Structures are given as C-alpha cells and as structure tokens.
Amino acid sequence: MTLERQSSHLFQPLTIRGRTFKNRVTISPMCQHAGSDGYVTDWHVVHYGKFVLGGAALVLTESTAVASDSRVGVDDLGIWSDDHIPGLKRLADFAHDNGALMGVQLAHSGRKAFSQPLWHGGQAMRPEEIDAADVPWRRVGPSAIPASTEWSTPEALTAEEIARIVEQHVDAARRADAAGMDVVELHYGHGYLVASFLSPLANQREDQYGGSLDNRMRIAVEIAEAVRAVWPEEKPLFARLSCVDGAEGGWGMDETVVLAERLKAVGGDVIDCSSGGLSEETRRSNVPRGFGFQVPFSERVRREVDVKTQAVGLIVEPQQAEDIIANGRADLVAIGRAALENPYWPALAQRELESGLSFEGWHERHGAWLEKREPVLRKLKAERDASAD
C-alpha cells in the first residue's frame, strides 16, 4: 500500500539569483584542519562528499583562507593561490554530479590567526609553535589589542594593508568562480578579522575604519561590494555574522540589522546568523544555548531587513527545522554537528516529514537498494509486532 505523501516546507526548493536549492538544508562550515598548505586532500573529498550524498542542498567548505598568513589553523583550506583551484573544483564537480550546490566560505582570521585543532585543545598557538610549523604568519587587527590573554598582540593594520585584504577577497572570489563554486560566503563572525573591526571593544582606530558604526562597518561593506563586482551575477553571496558577539558592550542585534541592510544594498543575498567568538569572554556568553538558540537572530534580520537568512545553532531535529522554515523564521537552516553524527540527516528528515515518500530523497545508488528492501522490512516488522501481541 502506498501512503499519501505529505508536503513539507523544509523540502520546498528555493531559487536565489540563478541557483536553485533543492531544499532548505545546508551544511555549515566546520574547520577540519586536514589541508596541506591550503590544498584539498582526500579527507575533504570524503568529508564533503558524504554530505552531498546525504541530501543537503548546499555544502559549504570550512573557513577557507584568502591569504597564507590568515589561516585559522596551519592545516586550513586555502584559496590564496591559483594552484588551489583544481582541488576545490574537484569538490564542486562532485557536488554538481550528485545534485547539490557547493559553496566556499572566504575568511581572514585576523588577530585569531593560527590555533590548534579542537581535538588538540583548540587553544591559540604560541608564536614559537607557529615558527616551528614553518608557515608564513601574522596576527593583525584593527588595533593592537589581543583577542584575549591567550593570544599575542596583533599588529594594527594600515589603510593600505586593509585595501590589500579587500583585494585578497576579490582574488579569492575569482578563484572560487573558476573552481565552479555556486556560493561565496564571507566570514564576518566569530571574532575573526572583520568581526574585530565591527566591535567597539576590538576596534579603537581613529581613522575612516574606526570610531562610528559606519566606519567600523566600512571594511565589511567594502569587501562585500568588491566581491559582488567580480562574483557572477547569477551566483548568490552569503555573509556569516556574529549577530551578537557575546561581549559586554560589544556588537549587538541593532548593529547587525544596520549591517545587514548595507550588505543587502551592495548585493548580499543571504545573512547567515551566528553569534559569539569575539574573545574568551564570549565563552561565557549571555546567549543561552538552547535548541535553536540563534534562530531569533535570523528571524529578526529577515523581518526587519527583508533579506533572506540562514539559521544555525543546535538545530537537530527534522520537525524543529521544518517549523523554522514554515513559520518564516529563516529561509535556510544550516546543520553542522548533526550532519557529522549522521550525514544522511537531510534524506532521513525528508522521509520523516513527508510520510509515504519512501526513499525519493536518497541518491539513486543508495535509495534503490533501500527501496527494494522496504517491503520485506515492513512485512517482517508486522509479523514481529503481531507475535509480540
């Protein structure tokens, strides 16, 4: 017997510019520290590939460095050289061949450059440790103020160096296009370079990049505008923001709404709403970490700015994600650790939400085998249940 299929909001397609997302589930960037001088390795092919096969509409790379000295960790992915293009293209090609979109998160880690992987403690690397790794490195920021006592004091960037960082993002976007990426996401969160410029605590400059809110937002708007100018018109541009940075007297939602309006005005399409990360103080953030704790940020930006948003943060259950989309709180939901736990989360969610759908959302090379087994499983389960009674 075929059950009647129910329709879900989570699995309705969404078109942004010239790209159609087959559903509303994306895979959030997650640092893997598995690169080799910025190059894609077999780890990345398998890591991202399993999410593609799992049914997500868009898979975003981890924080991908626009400059060799701007990495989060020594073994981050990079996009500072044309030589990185073939590896990234391999990821995009696999996604396209299997029904998904692929995106790259462009990042400059600024004063939080070079930290250990989480499984090695996740702490800031000491200067002597980075020297021993024999990689180019600098910690830079808007002002000579360290991210916390764990971090060395960064160099305050000159206006000329800021202009060069804008160009590094532009060059990276060109490479992303050459690699066949569908989406560029600008990383403006988690205390990295742009986030530190936004914060009145980290940014104490007295030039055009400091002081007023307009000045502190200047680098964010300049990067977005310059990237949009070279990023193809048909491809979406995302920006991830720490909507509240978690620090007392720091960046908050009112400022986020203003920045989202500016980013929309220069061609930004989606605001990816995260939080925290400015300093060690934000580990004790006053944002309670409940299920979907950052969804209210996404909802407010979407409502007040009339821009598409992506919700992220402890979204773990299909019905939870469905309700976020159905109630207009976001246009996309990003899952990270839930996908690490089960790469097939999107496909299983579709089956759960759209009863009777069977294995339509699964890749044919997997779904066909599961579909063939299904009648047998139903019969055996019915017999088991009957005997239990």
Side-chain angles (χ1 to χ4, degrees), residues 294-341:
Q294 294 169 151
V295 174
F297 308 148
S298 168
E299 182 178 20
R300 180 176 170 187
V301 170
R302 188 176 189 268
R303 180 180 68 248
E304 296 188 15
V305 183
D306 190 25
V307 68
K308 291 180 174 59
T309 60
Q310 178 165 282
V312 61
L314 283 174
I315 299 171
V316 297
E317 297 173 349
Q319 190 61 52
Q320 177 195 12
E322 168 72 6
D323 291 344
I324 291 168
I325 301 300
N327 294 324
R329 306 186 74 188
D331 298 277
L332 297 162
V333 294
I335 60 170
R337 279 168 249 205
L340 291 179
E341 187 174 36

mmCIF file of all heavy atoms in Angstrom, residues 294-341:
data_model
loop_
_atom_site.group_PDB
_atom_site.id
_atom_site.type_symbol
_atom_site.label_atom_id
_atom_site.label_comp_id
_atom_site.label_asym_id
_atom_site.label_seq_id
_atom_site.Cartn_x
_atom_site.Cartn_y
_atom_site.Cartn_z
ATOM 1 N N GLN A 294 19.981 30.518 18.167
ATOM 2 C CA GLN A 294 20.273 31.678 17.323
ATOM 3 C C GLN A 294 19.164 31.983 16.302
ATOM 4 O O GLN A 294 19.261 32.952 15.553
ATOM 5 C CB GLN A 294 21.605 31.449 16.585
ATOM 6 C CG GLN A 294 22.772 31.399 17.550
ATOM 7 C CD GLN A 294 24.079 30.918 16.950
ATOM 8 O OE1 GLN A 294 25.141 31.305 17.405
ATOM 9 N NE2 GLN A 294 24.034 30.049 15.952
ATOM 10 N N VAL A 295 18.118 31.187 16.313
ATOM 11 C CA VAL A 295 17.020 31.400 15.372
ATOM 12 C C VAL A 295 16.375 32.778 15.539
ATOM 13 O O VAL A 295 16.016 33.406 14.534
ATOM 14 C CB VAL A 295 15.983 30.264 15.478
ATOM 15 C CG1 VAL A 295 14.762 30.549 14.598
ATOM 16 C CG2 VAL A 295 16.617 28.930 15.088
ATOM 17 N N PRO A 296 16.203 33.304 16.770
ATOM 18 C CA PRO A 296 15.629 34.648 16.884
ATOM 19 C C PRO A 296 16.434 35.715 16.142
ATOM 20 O O PRO A 296 15.860 36.709 15.663
ATOM 21 C CB PRO A 296 15.629 34.903 18.399
ATOM 22 C CG PRO A 296 15.537 33.539 19.004
ATOM 23 C CD PRO A 296 16.362 32.670 18.100
ATOM 24 N N PHE A 297 17.750 35.535 16.025
ATOM 25 C CA PHE A 297 18.566 36.495 15.270
ATOM 26 C C PHE A 297 18.172 36.452 13.789
ATOM 27 O O PHE A 297 17.983 37.492 13.150
ATOM 28 C CB PHE A 297 20.053 36.176 15.417
ATOM 29 C CG PHE A 297 20.539 36.030 16.838
ATOM 30 C CD1 PHE A 297 21.573 35.157 17.141
ATOM 31 C CD2 PHE A 297 19.965 36.756 17.867
ATOM 32 C CE1 PHE A 297 22.028 35.007 18.437
ATOM 33 C CE2 PHE A 297 20.414 36.620 19.176
ATOM 34 C CZ PHE A 297 21.443 35.732 19.453
ATOM 35 N N SER A 298 18.084 35.248 13.277
ATOM 36 C CA SER A 298 17.703 35.073 11.880
ATOM 37 C C SER A 298 16.322 35.656 11.619
ATOM 38 O O SER A 298 16.086 36.331 10.605
ATOM 39 C CB SER A 298 17.728 33.577 11.536
ATOM 40 O OG SER A 298 17.128 33.322 10.300
ATOM 41 N N GLU A 299 15.408 35.390 12.531
ATOM 42 C CA GLU A 299 14.027 35.863 12.365
ATOM 43 C C GLU A 299 13.959 37.385 12.327
ATOM 44 O O GLU A 299 13.271 37.971 11.484
ATOM 45 C CB GLU A 299 13.178 35.315 13.507
ATOM 46 C CG GLU A 299 11.716 35.686 13.420
ATOM 47 C CD GLU A 299 10.908 35.069 14.543
ATOM 48 O OE1 GLU A 299 11.505 34.685 15.591
ATOM 49 O OE2 GLU A 299 9.677 34.972 14.391
ATOM 50 N N ARG A 300 14.681 38.036 13.220
ATOM 51 C CA ARG A 300 14.629 39.499 13.259
ATOM 52 C C ARG A 300 15.251 40.122 12.013
ATOM 53 O O ARG A 300 14.700 41.062 11.438
ATOM 54 C CB ARG A 300 15.322 40.032 14.522
ATOM 55 C CG ARG A 300 15.278 41.549 14.601
ATOM 56 C CD ARG A 300 15.868 42.093 15.871
ATOM 57 N NE ARG A 300 15.995 43.552 15.767
ATOM 58 C CZ ARG A 300 16.604 44.317 16.664
ATOM 59 N NH1 ARG A 300 17.127 43.779 17.764
ATOM 60 N NH2 ARG A 300 16.698 45.624 16.467
ATOM 61 N N VAL A 301 16.410 39.613 11.609
ATOM 62 C CA VAL A 301 17.052 40.157 10.407
ATOM 63 C C VAL A 301 16.142 39.971 9.197
ATOM 64 O O VAL A 301 15.955 40.891 8.389
ATOM 65 C CB VAL A 301 18.422 39.488 10.172
ATOM 66 C CG1 VAL A 301 18.980 39.871 8.807
ATOM 67 C CG2 VAL A 301 19.404 39.881 11.273
ATOM 68 N N ARG A 302 15.557 38.802 9.072
ATOM 69 C CA ARG A 302 14.666 38.522 7.939
ATOM 70 C C ARG A 302 13.480 39.479 7.930
ATOM 71 O O ARG A 302 13.086 40.001 6.880
ATOM 72 C CB ARG A 302 14.185 37.076 8.026
ATOM 73 C CG ARG A 302 13.396 36.587 6.823
ATOM 74 C CD ARG A 302 13.067 35.103 7.012
ATOM 75 N NE ARG A 302 12.497 34.532 5.794
ATOM 76 C CZ ARG A 302 11.188 34.475 5.536
ATOM 77 N NH1 ARG A 302 10.329 34.971 6.414
ATOM 78 N NH2 ARG A 302 10.760 33.929 4.413
ATOM 79 N N ARG A 303 12.900 39.716 9.102
ATOM 80 C CA ARG A 303 11.705 40.554 9.201
ATOM 81 C C ARG A 303 12.023 42.026 8.975
ATOM 82 O O ARG A 303 11.329 42.720 8.224
ATOM 83 C CB ARG A 303 11.069 40.363 10.583
ATOM 84 C CG ARG A 303 9.804 41.191 10.795
ATOM 85 C CD ARG A 303 9.224 40.972 12.184
ATOM 86 N NE ARG A 303 10.082 41.504 13.230
ATOM 87 C CZ ARG A 303 10.734 40.762 14.116
ATOM 88 N NH1 ARG A 303 10.654 39.447 14.086
ATOM 89 N NH2 ARG A 303 11.500 41.326 15.044
ATOM 90 N N GLU A 304 13.088 42.525 9.592
ATOM 91 C CA GLU A 304 13.346 43.960 9.570
ATOM 92 C C GLU A 304 14.108 44.418 8.331
ATOM 93 O O GLU A 304 13.992 45.582 7.933
ATOM 94 C CB GLU A 304 14.095 44.378 10.839
ATOM 95 C CG GLU A 304 13.275 44.162 12.102
ATOM 96 C CD GLU A 304 13.923 44.743 13.348
ATOM 97 O OE1 GLU A 304 14.866 45.565 13.224
ATOM 98 O OE2 GLU A 304 13.496 44.366 14.463
ATOM 99 N N VAL A 305 14.880 43.540 7.741
ATOM 100 C CA VAL A 305 15.701 43.927 6.591
ATOM 101 C C VAL A 305 15.091 43.440 5.282
ATOM 102 O O VAL A 305 15.433 43.931 4.216
ATOM 103 C CB VAL A 305 17.142 43.400 6.755
ATOM 104 C CG1 VAL A 305 18.038 43.855 5.610
ATOM 105 C CG2 VAL A 305 17.731 43.855 8.090
ATOM 106 N N ASP A 306 14.169 42.480 5.380
ATOM 107 C CA ASP A 306 13.588 41.868 4.185
ATOM 108 C C ASP A 306 14.684 41.274 3.303
ATOM 109 O O ASP A 306 14.773 41.539 2.110
ATOM 110 C CB ASP A 306 12.753 42.885 3.390
ATOM 111 C CG ASP A 306 11.938 42.215 2.280
ATOM 112 O OD1 ASP A 306 11.647 41.015 2.406
ATOM 113 O OD2 ASP A 306 11.631 42.894 1.278
ATOM 114 N N VAL A 307 15.517 40.479 3.933
ATOM 115 C CA VAL A 307 16.585 39.768 3.242
ATOM 116 C C VAL A 307 16.491 38.306 3.648
ATOM 117 O O VAL A 307 15.988 37.981 4.737
ATOM 118 C CB VAL A 307 17.965 40.366 3.614
ATOM 119 C CG1 VAL A 307 18.315 40.099 5.080
ATOM 120 C CG2 VAL A 307 19.067 39.837 2.708
ATOM 121 N N LYS A 308 16.949 37.420 2.807
ATOM 122 C CA LYS A 308 16.924 36.002 3.147
ATOM 123 C C LYS A 308 17.950 35.717 4.230
ATOM 124 O O LYS A 308 19.032 36.320 4.256
ATOM 125 C CB LYS A 308 17.189 35.140 1.909
ATOM 126 C CG LYS A 308 16.038 35.182 0.907
ATOM 127 C CD LYS A 308 16.325 34.327 -0.300
ATOM 128 C CE LYS A 308 15.100 34.267 -1.219
ATOM 129 N NZ LYS A 308 14.677 35.607 -1.686
ATOM 130 N N THR A 309 17.604 34.793 5.109
ATOM 131 C CA THR A 309 18.504 34.458 6.211
ATOM 132 C C THR A 309 18.681 32.947 6.319
ATOM 133 O O THR A 309 17.849 32.161 5.852
ATOM 134 C CB THR A 309 17.988 34.997 7.561
ATOM 135 O OG1 THR A 309 16.702 34.419 7.844
ATOM 136 C CG2 THR A 309 17.901 36.505 7.550
ATOM 137 N N GLN A 310 19.790 32.595 6.963
ATOM 138 C CA GLN A 310 20.094 31.197 7.268
ATOM 139 C C GLN A 310 20.233 31.062 8.769
ATOM 140 O O GLN A 310 21.007 31.787 9.396
ATOM 141 C CB GLN A 310 21.382 30.780 6.568
ATOM 142 C CG GLN A 310 21.825 29.347 6.860
ATOM 143 C CD GLN A 310 22.876 28.877 5.886
ATOM 144 O OE1 GLN A 310 22.568 28.514 4.760
ATOM 145 N NE2 GLN A 310 24.134 28.884 6.307
ATOM 146 N N ALA A 311 19.473 30.137 9.344
ATOM 147 C CA ALA A 311 19.523 29.885 10.780
ATOM 148 C C ALA A 311 20.496 28.747 11.062
ATOM 149 O O ALA A 311 20.576 27.781 10.302
ATOM 150 C CB ALA A 311 18.137 29.532 11.309
ATOM 151 N N VAL A 312 21.215 28.873 12.165
ATOM 152 C CA VAL A 312 22.213 27.868 12.520
ATOM 153 C C VAL A 312 22.325 27.812 14.043
ATOM 154 O O VAL A 312 22.084 28.807 14.727
ATOM 155 C CB VAL A 312 23.588 28.211 11.890
ATOM 156 C CG1 VAL A 312 24.113 29.544 12.388
ATOM 157 C CG2 VAL A 312 24.615 27.099 12.133
ATOM 158 N N GLY A 313 22.668 26.660 14.579
ATOM 159 C CA GLY A 313 22.932 26.546 16.002
ATOM 160 C C GLY A 313 21.955 25.639 16.720
ATOM 161 O O GLY A 313 20.802 26.021 16.957
ATOM 162 N N LEU A 314 22.378 24.432 17.052
ATOM 163 C CA LEU A 314 21.578 23.438 17.760
ATOM 164 C C LEU A 314 20.222 23.207 17.099
ATOM 165 O O LEU A 314 19.185 23.158 17.755
ATOM 166 C CB LEU A 314 21.423 23.818 19.236
ATOM 167 C CG LEU A 314 22.662 23.546 20.095
ATOM 168 C CD1 LEU A 314 22.484 24.071 21.506
ATOM 169 C CD2 LEU A 314 22.971 22.039 20.145
ATOM 170 N N ILE A 315 20.259 23.109 15.780
ATOM 171 C CA ILE A 315 19.103 22.642 15.023
ATOM 172 C C ILE A 315 19.360 21.167 14.769
ATOM 173 O O ILE A 315 20.241 20.800 13.997
ATOM 174 C CB ILE A 315 18.946 23.426 13.709
ATOM 175 C CG1 ILE A 315 18.723 24.913 14.011
ATOM 176 C CG2 ILE A 315 17.793 22.860 12.883
ATOM 177 C CD1 ILE A 315 18.764 25.804 12.786
ATOM 178 N N VAL A 316 18.617 20.315 15.440
ATOM 179 C CA VAL A 316 18.985 18.897 15.487
ATOM 180 C C VAL A 316 17.883 17.952 15.039
ATOM 181 O O VAL A 316 18.165 16.797 14.704
ATOM 182 C CB VAL A 316 19.456 18.498 16.905
ATOM 183 C CG1 VAL A 316 20.715 19.266 17.283
ATOM 184 C CG2 VAL A 316 18.369 18.738 17.936
ATOM 185 N N GLU A 317 16.626 18.404 15.034
ATOM 186 C CA GLU A 317 15.520 17.513 14.719
ATOM 187 C C GLU A 317 14.778 18.004 13.471
ATOM 188 O O GLU A 317 14.610 19.209 13.278
ATOM 189 C CB GLU A 317 14.552 17.426 15.893
ATOM 190 C CG GLU A 317 15.190 16.827 17.135
ATOM 191 C CD GLU A 317 14.295 16.902 18.355
ATOM 192 O OE1 GLU A 317 13.261 17.613 18.277
ATOM 193 O OE2 GLU A 317 14.629 16.274 19.371
ATOM 194 N N PRO A 318 14.297 17.082 12.632
ATOM 195 C CA PRO A 318 13.598 17.489 11.419
ATOM 196 C C PRO A 318 12.408 18.406 11.666
ATOM 197 O O PRO A 318 12.240 19.406 10.958
ATOM 198 C CB PRO A 318 13.162 16.151 10.810
ATOM 199 C CG PRO A 318 14.207 15.185 11.269
ATOM 200 C CD PRO A 318 14.540 15.617 12.670
ATOM 201 N N GLN A 319 11.565 18.080 12.650
ATOM 202 C CA GLN A 319 10.381 18.924 12.890
ATOM 203 C C GLN A 319 10.788 20.313 13.357
ATOM 204 O O GLN A 319 10.131 21.306 13.023
ATOM 205 C CB GLN A 319 9.457 18.267 13.918
ATOM 206 C CG GLN A 319 8.100 18.963 14.036
ATOM 207 C CD GLN A 319 7.323 18.946 12.732
ATOM 208 O OE1 GLN A 319 7.133 17.883 12.126
ATOM 209 N NE2 GLN A 319 6.871 20.117 12.278
ATOM 210 N N GLN A 320 11.871 20.411 14.113
ATOM 211 C CA GLN A 320 12.397 21.703 14.540
ATOM 212 C C GLN A 320 12.782 22.543 13.324
ATOM 213 O O GLN A 320 12.416 23.718 13.212
ATOM 214 C CB GLN A 320 13.607 21.486 15.451
ATOM 215 C CG GLN A 320 14.295 22.749 15.914
ATOM 216 C CD GLN A 320 15.675 22.469 16.500
ATOM 217 O OE1 GLN A 320 16.211 21.361 16.362
ATOM 218 N NE2 GLN A 320 16.246 23.454 17.163
ATOM 219 N N ALA A 321 13.508 21.934 12.391
ATOM 220 C CA ALA A 321 13.908 22.639 11.174
ATOM 221 C C ALA A 321 12.696 23.004 10.329
ATOM 222 O O ALA A 321 12.610 24.105 9.767
ATOM 223 C CB ALA A 321 14.878 21.779 10.373
ATOM 224 N N GLU A 322 11.751 22.090 10.219
ATOM 225 C CA GLU A 322 10.521 22.345 9.470
ATOM 226 C C GLU A 322 9.779 23.558 10.028
ATOM 227 O O GLU A 322 9.310 24.432 9.282
ATOM 228 C CB GLU A 322 9.630 21.102 9.516
ATOM 229 C CG GLU A 322 8.207 21.293 9.034
ATOM 230 C CD GLU A 322 8.087 21.473 7.533
ATOM 231 O OE1 GLU A 322 9.088 21.338 6.817
ATOM 232 O OE2 GLU A 322 6.958 21.739 7.080
ATOM 233 N N ASP A 323 9.668 23.631 11.348
ATOM 234 C CA ASP A 323 8.939 24.739 11.973
ATOM 235 C C ASP A 323 9.632 26.078 11.729
ATOM 236 O O ASP A 323 8.969 27.112 11.560
ATOM 237 C CB ASP A 323 8.798 24.492 13.475
ATOM 238 C CG ASP A 323 7.859 23.330 13.792
ATOM 239 O OD1 ASP A 323 7.086 22.923 12.892
ATOM 240 O OD2 ASP A 323 7.911 22.819 14.932
ATOM 241 N N ILE A 324 10.965 26.079 11.701
ATOM 242 C CA ILE A 324 11.712 27.314 11.441
ATOM 243 C C ILE A 324 11.354 27.863 10.067
ATOM 244 O O ILE A 324 11.083 29.062 9.903
ATOM 245 C CB ILE A 324 13.229 27.061 11.558
ATOM 246 C CG1 ILE A 324 13.610 26.791 13.015
ATOM 247 C CG2 ILE A 324 14.028 28.253 11.015
ATOM 248 C CD1 ILE A 324 15.018 26.239 13.186
ATOM 249 N N ILE A 325 11.336 26.993 9.072
ATOM 250 C CA ILE A 325 11.015 27.428 7.711
ATOM 251 C C ILE A 325 9.525 27.746 7.580
ATOM 252 O O ILE A 325 9.138 28.788 7.027
ATOM 253 C CB ILE A 325 11.427 26.354 6.689
ATOM 254 C CG1 ILE A 325 12.934 26.055 6.784
ATOM 255 C CG2 ILE A 325 11.056 26.801 5.275
ATOM 256 C CD1 ILE A 325 13.824 27.239 6.516
ATOM 257 N N ALA A 326 8.684 26.883 8.105
ATOM 258 C CA ALA A 326 7.232 27.057 7.959
ATOM 259 C C ALA A 326 6.749 28.342 8.614
ATOM 260 O O ALA A 326 5.815 28.987 8.117
ATOM 261 C CB ALA A 326 6.505 25.856 8.563
ATOM 262 N N ASN A 327 7.383 28.734 9.717
ATOM 263 C CA ASN A 327 6.959 29.930 10.453
ATOM 264 C C ASN A 327 7.686 31.190 10.007
ATOM 265 O O ASN A 327 7.585 32.239 10.655
ATOM 266 C CB ASN A 327 7.144 29.714 11.955
ATOM 267 C CG ASN A 327 6.227 28.634 12.491
ATOM 268 O OD1 ASN A 327 5.087 28.490 12.041
ATOM 269 N ND2 ASN A 327 6.718 27.849 13.436
ATOM 270 N N GLY A 328 8.438 31.115 8.909
ATOM 271 C CA GLY A 328 9.084 32.293 8.354
ATOM 272 C C GLY A 328 10.203 32.856 9.204
ATOM 273 O O GLY A 328 10.504 34.053 9.133
ATOM 274 N N ARG A 329 10.874 31.995 9.970
ATOM 275 C CA ARG A 329 11.953 32.470 10.834
ATOM 276 C C ARG A 329 13.307 32.458 10.123
ATOM 277 O O ARG A 329 14.266 33.049 10.616
ATOM 278 C CB ARG A 329 12.009 31.630 12.110
ATOM 279 C CG ARG A 329 10.666 31.564 12.853
ATOM 280 C CD ARG A 329 10.768 30.869 14.171
ATOM 281 N NE ARG A 329 11.430 31.724 15.151
ATOM 282 C CZ ARG A 329 11.798 31.301 16.365
ATOM 283 N NH1 ARG A 329 11.597 30.029 16.708
ATOM 284 N NH2 ARG A 329 12.390 32.121 17.200
ATOM 285 N N ALA A 330 13.384 31.780 9.003
ATOM 286 C CA ALA A 330 14.587 31.730 8.168
ATOM 287 C C ALA A 330 14.188 31.140 6.829
ATOM 288 O O ALA A 330 13.124 30.529 6.687
ATOM 289 C CB ALA A 330 15.676 30.886 8.824
ATOM 290 N N ASP A 331 15.061 31.311 5.849
ATOM 291 C CA ASP A 331 14.840 30.731 4.531
ATOM 292 C C ASP A 331 15.616 29.438 4.348
ATOM 293 O O ASP A 331 15.239 28.586 3.535
ATOM 294 C CB ASP A 331 15.258 31.739 3.454
ATOM 295 C CG ASP A 331 14.430 33.008 3.530
ATOM 296 O OD1 ASP A 331 13.330 33.026 2.983
ATOM 297 O OD2 ASP A 331 14.900 33.978 4.171
ATOM 298 N N LEU A 332 16.713 29.315 5.085
ATOM 299 C CA LEU A 332 17.552 28.120 5.051
ATOM 300 C C LEU A 332 17.920 27.752 6.477
ATOM 301 O O LEU A 332 18.011 28.629 7.346
ATOM 302 C CB LEU A 332 18.833 28.379 4.247
ATOM 303 C CG LEU A 332 18.678 28.708 2.761
ATOM 304 C CD1 LEU A 332 19.953 29.355 2.230
ATOM 305 C CD2 LEU A 332 18.343 27.454 1.958
ATOM 306 N N VAL A 333 18.168 26.482 6.725
ATOM 307 C CA VAL A 333 18.714 26.054 8.011
ATOM 308 C C VAL A 333 20.039 25.349 7.752
ATOM 309 O O VAL A 333 20.147 24.538 6.829
ATOM 310 C CB VAL A 333 17.758 25.134 8.797
ATOM 311 C CG1 VAL A 333 16.512 25.885 9.211
ATOM 312 C CG2 VAL A 333 17.400 23.893 8.010
ATOM 313 N N ALA A 334 21.028 25.685 8.540
ATOM 314 C CA ALA A 334 22.354 25.066 8.408
ATOM 315 C C ALA A 334 22.568 24.109 9.563
ATOM 316 O O ALA A 334 22.355 24.470 10.726
ATOM 317 C CB ALA A 334 23.435 26.137 8.407
ATOM 318 N N ILE A 335 22.953 22.889 9.229
ATOM 319 C CA ILE A 335 23.293 21.924 10.268
ATOM 320 C C ILE A 335 24.779 21.607 10.164
ATOM 321 O O ILE A 335 25.358 21.630 9.087
ATOM 322 C CB ILE A 335 22.433 20.650 10.178
ATOM 323 C CG1 ILE A 335 22.629 19.948 8.829
ATOM 324 C CG2 ILE A 335 20.956 20.974 10.410
ATOM 325 C CD1 ILE A 335 21.999 18.571 8.765
ATOM 326 N N GLY A 336 25.390 21.340 11.287
ATOM 327 C CA GLY A 336 26.812 21.031 11.326
ATOM 328 C C GLY A 336 27.059 19.726 12.048
ATOM 329 O O GLY A 336 27.210 18.669 11.438
ATOM 330 N N ARG A 337 27.043 19.786 13.359
ATOM 331 C CA ARG A 337 27.337 18.591 14.137
ATOM 332 C C ARG A 337 26.285 17.497 13.953
ATOM 333 O O ARG A 337 26.601 16.302 14.016
ATOM 334 C CB ARG A 337 27.524 18.966 15.600
ATOM 335 C CG ARG A 337 28.931 19.507 15.856
ATOM 336 C CD ARG A 337 29.079 20.169 17.207
ATOM 337 N NE ARG A 337 29.254 21.596 17.042
ATOM 338 C CZ ARG A 337 29.862 22.387 17.919
ATOM 339 N NH1 ARG A 337 30.350 21.871 19.034
ATOM 340 N NH2 ARG A 337 29.978 23.666 17.700
ATOM 341 N N ALA A 338 25.036 17.917 13.700
ATOM 342 C CA ALA A 338 24.009 16.904 13.418
ATOM 343 C C ALA A 338 24.362 16.127 12.157
ATOM 344 O O ALA A 338 24.082 14.925 12.045
ATOM 345 C CB ALA A 338 22.645 17.577 13.264
ATOM 346 N N ALA A 339 24.993 16.809 11.192
ATOM 347 C CA ALA A 339 25.412 16.130 9.963
ATOM 348 C C ALA A 339 26.656 15.285 10.181
ATOM 349 O O ALA A 339 26.838 14.254 9.516
ATOM 350 C CB ALA A 339 25.659 17.151 8.860
ATOM 351 N N LEU A 340 27.533 15.707 11.086
ATOM 352 C CA LEU A 340 28.681 14.860 11.426
ATOM 353 C C LEU A 340 28.204 13.552 12.056
ATOM 354 O O LEU A 340 28.742 12.476 11.788
ATOM 355 C CB LEU A 340 29.606 15.587 12.405
ATOM 356 C CG LEU A 340 30.387 16.794 11.873
ATOM 357 C CD1 LEU A 340 31.225 17.400 12.994
ATOM 358 C CD2 LEU A 340 31.287 16.399 10.703
ATOM 359 N N GLU A 341 27.171 13.677 12.894
ATOM 360 C CA GLU A 341 26.625 12.497 13.557
ATOM 361 C C GLU A 341 25.918 11.589 12.559
ATOM 362 O O GLU A 341 26.002 10.356 12.655
ATOM 363 C CB GLU A 341 25.651 12.940 14.651
ATOM 364 C CG GLU A 341 25.148 11.829 15.524
ATOM 365 C CD GLU A 341 24.304 12.351 16.666
ATOM 366 O OE1 GLU A 341 23.561 13.334 16.471
ATOM 367 O OE2 GLU A 341 24.386 11.780 17.768
#
